[in-house]
Amino acid sequence: GVEIIHEGGVRFTALCRNHRITIDQPVEAGGTDAGPTPPELLAASMGSCVGYYVARFLEQAGLADRNIAIECDWTVSKDTPKRIDCIRLQLKIPGLPENRLAAVQRVAGHCLIHQTLKQEPEVSLQVDTVI
């Protein structure tokens, strides 16, 4: 799992295995810009998950070392409650043969994060007090 610790203001630290990730807001949103925002982390998570699946596929297909780049952008709904209503990923794979495009598209769609967002997971939230 991941543990999130409030560091003050709007800054948090996520602890995962031996890693520390600082999460913050830009200065104009009341933060110190010490790290990415939660939506930026979501985009990074999805983009890197897609990248993982594609990189493994390319390796197995003998097409490794393609310098994959993934751009991820999103829009926020104007509805209430606010939410990310569209996520766009663009994979750039130099030298990918045309006959592999459909297979890469299929493989990218199998990403765990992508599939999780497509089929809304059950989310539970419990608030406790420390005694």
Side-chain angles (χ1 to χ4, degrees):
V2 177
E3 181 179 6
I4 312 299
I5 299 169
H6 184 225
E7 302 289 355
V10 293
R11 186 175 177 169
F12 295 84
T13 299
L15 306 172
C16 178
R17 297 189 328 268
N18 296 321
H19 306 285
R20 299 175 65 86
I21 302 167
T22 300
I23 300 116
D24 200 1
Q25 295 292 319
V27 173
E28 61 272 12
T32 61
D33 204 21
T37 65
E40 290 167 338
L41 285 174
L42 177 65
S45 179
M46 187 166 184
S48 58
C49 187
V50 165
Y52 168 78
Y53 278 74
V54 170
R56 294 292 307 263
F57 169 78
L58 293 176
E59 182 181 324
Q60 292 168 358
L63 298 167
D65 300 324
R66 295 283 168 175
N67 296 319
I68 300 168
I70 300 124
E71 290 183 11
C72 187
D73 197 6
W74 63 94
T75 56
V76 176
S77 73
K78 296 187 185 336
D79 303 340
T80 302
K82 281 190 169 188
R83 63 183 182 81
I84 292 173
D85 64 356
C86 181
I87 300 172
R88 291 174 305 282
L89 293 123
Q90 182 180 14
L91 279 73
K92 297 178 180 181
I93 309 171
L96 181 67
E98 285 281 327
N99 66 345
R100 295 298 186 142
L101 288 173
V104 167
Q105 183 83 32
R106 262 192 320 276
V107 168
H110 290 285
C111 148
L112 179 64
I113 305 301
H114 185 173
Q115 289 300 315
T116 299
L117 292 175
K118 282 178 61 175
Q119 299 179 32
E120 185 177 333
E122 178 182 330
V123 177
S124 67
L125 175 65
Q126 178 180 336
V127 179
D128 294 322
T129 59
V130 179
I131 300 173

